Amino acid sequence: MAGESSRGINLSRLKKISMKKASAVDKFKIATTTGLPARFLATETLLDRSKNILPTDRIWTLAERYQIPARERPFAFDLLTGVIKRQASLNHLIEIFSGRALRQISPVLRTILQIGLDQLFFEDAVADFAAVDTSCELTRCYLGRRPVAFVNAILRKIQRALQTRNVPVTPANAQRVLPVHLDLGIEFNQPILPSPDNPVDYLSLAYSFPAWLIKRWLQRWTFHDLKPILAAANARPSLIVRPNPLKISLEGLAELLTAESCKIRILPDDGAILLLEHPPISQLDAFAQGFFQVQDVTAMALAKKLDVKPGMKILDLCAGLGTKTTQLAELSGDRAQIVASDLSPAKLEKLEQNAARLGLKSIKTVPLEDVGQGFDVVVLDVPCTNTGVFDRRPEARWRIRESDFQTFTTLSLELLTKSINYIKPTGQIAFSTCSIDEEENTQLIHKFCKEKNFILQNEHLQLPKIDPDTHRVVQTGGYRAFLFKSRNKNDDKK
């Protein structure tokens, strides 16, 4: 490799060369170069500027365009989500070790460096030399030989600065340790982070979050209590499935999944199964036969707490793809009257397909204007900022603005008010979000109950939890509340 000094390189000229050469590169050739397909796919997705589509959706279209082998796609997705989540930390380190402002580095070089660093820090299965060498080769394929020296110099400089992995983060070493897992990180031979005495700057760079959001959350949680929440946002999500009780038991599903080469762990308290290793879900025979549905345990809790019975009339007002809708049908023995509605006809169509796969016949999908009245329960899983599921939605922390909390709260209040017209006098509203922010949850619900004369039966906030063995999020964050109309004499006459 060329010399490792990143200084002395004309960054302005290098940036112009990079932009010119990147536009003329044979991308199909890179996609078939040994060691590069997954890394190329992640790079292309991060560089893609398509509007109105998230990178985590766009990657699959690009994978088809460049004919990326199926075995490479999970790794590409891990790289993509890792870089999106950790971009503030990665960019900070690039600036420290290059001695250059990020804006001086071309988008292609910056993206390749981010992917290289993600492998050095967070991909345990990738050897350090492979992370560096493939990043240099990717640079050569995109930009020619000249910029390779720059990438090689920075990555090897950072590699030499790494001292120890899986080091407990303590007050004494906090400025030298980049957090990786819940309480463990990578120690450098020099300070790389601000002092924890400045908690906003420290947490925003250590855990890669917008400073305004850290500042907001520090008004609610202590520094110590906030760190596990931020760590969970950076962890990988777990894949959890619930058995379809109309077709199979928990134990029976465990046997089927094991027979299909899945490594599993039964979660008896949740009546669910954690998939530790597995083939693609769509390729499992147990999935095709409707024996299970993918669903997080936090999302499962709402329907379980409802005590659903046959004959109940239930409206799922913001049904989406119907994960909760189908769970309600299963819990009723497929003998409730369930109406599902959503603003998206495409989602309702997929809901119908999923219900058919699960063998459910008690669900009827209708547009909002045709839902009717007299429901025992209105399930209201409202749109929100997704702050409880940042592990599953890597872009969300960068897309939301502080004003969005008020926007979603206003929308939720409108939906709650609309729900009053749909329930019986003795009915209830089952409200939920995948947010952990008080403004969207407790504050909103207490305001609604006071203004609309409702009784809050109970509420629960679930913070995200990391499995200490897998270092994955085993329970996402979210909120649920159960509301009843306050009874009066006129109600008794109805």
Side-chain angles (χ1 to χ4, degrees):
M1 292 293 180
E4 293 186 8
S5 174
S6 61
R7 296 184 181 274
I9 297 176
N10 188 322
L11 266 292
S12 178
R13 178 173 172 76
L14 186 58
K15 184 175 181 179
K16 292 178 181 178
I17 294 173
S18 298
M19 295 174 67
K20 183 177 180 180
K21 288 195 173 183
S23 63
V25 71
D26 184 351
K27 294 179 180 178
F28 286 92
K29 184 176 180 180
I30 304 177
T32 58
T33 301
T34 301
L36 296 190
R39 295 168 172 92
F40 162 77
L41 179 56
T43 302
E44 277 299 294
T45 307
L46 288 164
L47 291 171
D48 188 83
R49 289 294 178 264
S50 299
K51 294 182 178 180
N52 302 320
I53 184 168
L54 297 174
T56 46
D57 293 327
R58 181 65 172 163
I59 188 173
W60 309 119
T61 302
L62 294 175
E64 291 298 316
R65 175 188 296 176
Y66 295 111
Q67 301 177 9
I68 304 298
R71 66 180 180 277
E72 299 279 354
R73 297 182 185 189
F75 180 40
F77 190 77
D78 280 348
L79 292 174
L80 173 69
T81 55
V83 169
I84 292 173
K85 289 179 180 180
R86 299 278 196 165
Q87 60 184 272
S89 302
L90 299 176
N91 290 341
H92 176 65
L93 289 167
I94 289 171
E95 289 191 325
I96 288 177
F97 286 94
S98 71
R100 307 287 178 175
L102 206 65
R103 66 179 180 275
Q104 295 179 283
I105 304 173
S106 75
V108 176
L109 283 176
R110 182 169 67 242
T111 301
I112 291 173
L113 285 169
Q114 290 170 335
I115 290 174
L117 291 181
D118 181 84
Q119 294 171 81
L120 279 176
F121 300 152
F122 310 121
E123 298 291 341
D124 294 338
V126 178
D128 286 0
F129 75 86
V132 176
D133 288 353
T134 54
S135 297
C136 291
E137 179 63 13
L138 197 59
T139 304
R140 186 191 66 77
C141 289
Y142 266 99
L143 306 171
R145 294 189 177 279
R146 184 169 182 176
V148 171
F150 177 72
V151 170
N152 183 58
I154 293 175
L155 292 181
R156 293 202 180 279
K157 187 176 181 181
I158 292 174
Q159 185 184 10
R160 289 195 301 268
L162 302 182
Q163 283 192 321
T164 313
R165 298 180 185 271
N166 296 320
V167 174
V169 182
T170 67
N173 67 15
Q175 288 186 261
R176 300 193 311 277
V177 177
L178 180 68
V180 175
H181 300 307
L182 188 57
D183 294 310
L184 301 173
I186 300 173
E187 187 169 15
F188 288 72
N189 62 7
Q190 65 182 72
I192 57 163
L193 294 170
S195 169
D197 292 339
N198 187 337
V200 173
D201 287 351
Y202 171 80
L203 292 173
S204 64
L205 289 174
Y207 292 94
S208 189
F209 265 80
W212 70 263
L213 187 55
I214 296 294
K215 185 177 180 180
R216 178 186 179 93
W217 280 352
L218 282 172
Q219 294 174 2
R220 179 174 181 199
W221 289 294
T222 66
F223 179 87
H224 176 77
D225 290 338
L226 182 54
K227 288 199 296 181
I229 296 172
L230 304 179
N234 288 333
R236 292 191 174 101
S238 295
L239 186 64
I240 297 171
V241 302
R242 68 167 201 259
N244 180 351
L246 304 181
K247 292 190 173 187
I248 199 168
S249 66
L250 181 65
E251 294 74 16
L253 178 60
E255 291 179 8
L256 279 184
L257 291 173
T258 301
E260 291 200 64
S261 303
C262 296
K263 184 179 179 181
I264 68 168
R265 183 197 304 165
I266 295 178
L267 306 175
D269 293 342
D270 301 302
I273 294 175
L274 171 65
L275 274 63
L276 301 169
E277 297 177 11
H278 57 89
I281 292 296
S282 61
Q283 295 180 14
L284 294 175
D285 187 56
F287 177 78
Q289 295 191 46
F291 287 131
F292 71 85
Q293 172 64 45
V294 176
Q295 188 178 28
D296 177 76
V297 295
T298 300
M300 292 181 204
L302 184 80
K304 289 181 178 180
K305 297 292 183 181
L306 271 174
D307 190 25
V308 178
K309 292 181 173 61
M312 288 181 68
K313 191 176 179 182
I314 302 170
L315 169 62
D316 192 349
L317 191 58
C318 302
L321 299 177
T323 306
K324 288 185 176 70
T325 316
T326 54
Q327 184 190 16
L328 290 164
E330 292 169 2
L331 291 174
S332 73
D334 204 23
R335 290 184 289 164
Q337 301 176 54
I338 300 176
V339 175
S341 186
D342 195 273
L343 290 176
S344 170
K347 288 183 178 179
L348 290 180
E349 184 178 350
K350 290 182 179 180
L351 189 159
E352 291 172 351
Q353 294 169 358
N354 198 35
R357 179 184 64 83
L358 294 165
L360 302 171
K361 303 182 184 304
S362 60
I363 300 171
K364 179 182 179 182
T365 60
V366 300
L368 185 60
E369 59 269 20
D370 296 333
V371 298
Q373 295 177 318
F375 290 94
D376 296 292
V377 179
V378 172
V379 174
L380 195 56
D381 187 19
V382 298
C384 66
T385 56
N386 298 310
T387 52
V389 291
F390 279 161
D391 62 308
R392 298 179 183 277
R393 298 179 180 271
E395 306 96 341
R397 74 186 72 180
W398 306 115
R399 291 169 61 87
I400 63 171
R401 299 292 181 264
E402 191 155 20
S403 60
D404 289 339
F405 291 99
Q406 180 58 53
T407 299
F408 282 114
T409 298
T410 300
L411 175 60
S412 296
L413 188 58
E414 292 174 358
L415 290 168
L416 281 164
T417 302
K418 188 182 293 289
S419 299
I420 298 173
N421 300 320
Y422 302 136
I423 61 172
K424 297 177 179 178
T426 56
Q428 67 171 310
I429 299 173
F431 176 89
S432 67
T433 74
C434 53
S435 171
I436 58 174
D437 198 273
E438 279 189 321
E439 186 173 351
E440 294 178 276
N441 297 325
T442 298
Q443 291 178 14
L444 165 67
I445 291 301
H446 284 255
K447 176 182 179 180
F448 171 78
C449 288
K450 182 178 180 180
E451 292 181 355
K452 302 300 180 181
N453 199 28
F454 267 68
I455 296 172
L456 174 59
Q457 184 186 44
N458 63 67
E459 61 180 336
H460 177 74
L461 174 67
Q462 176 65 56
L463 296 178
K465 291 182 180 179
I466 295 178
D467 186 311
D469 296 324
T470 65
H471 300 299
R472 289 176 176 262
V473 175
V474 73
Q475 191 162 16
T476 57
Y479 172 84
R480 64 178 182 267
F482 299 93
L483 319 173
F484 288 86
K485 280 186 175 181
S486 181
R487 298 291 300 277
N488 57 50
K489 292 181 180 180
N490 291 330
D491 290 335
D492 295 332
K493 295 177 183 180
K494 293 179 181 180

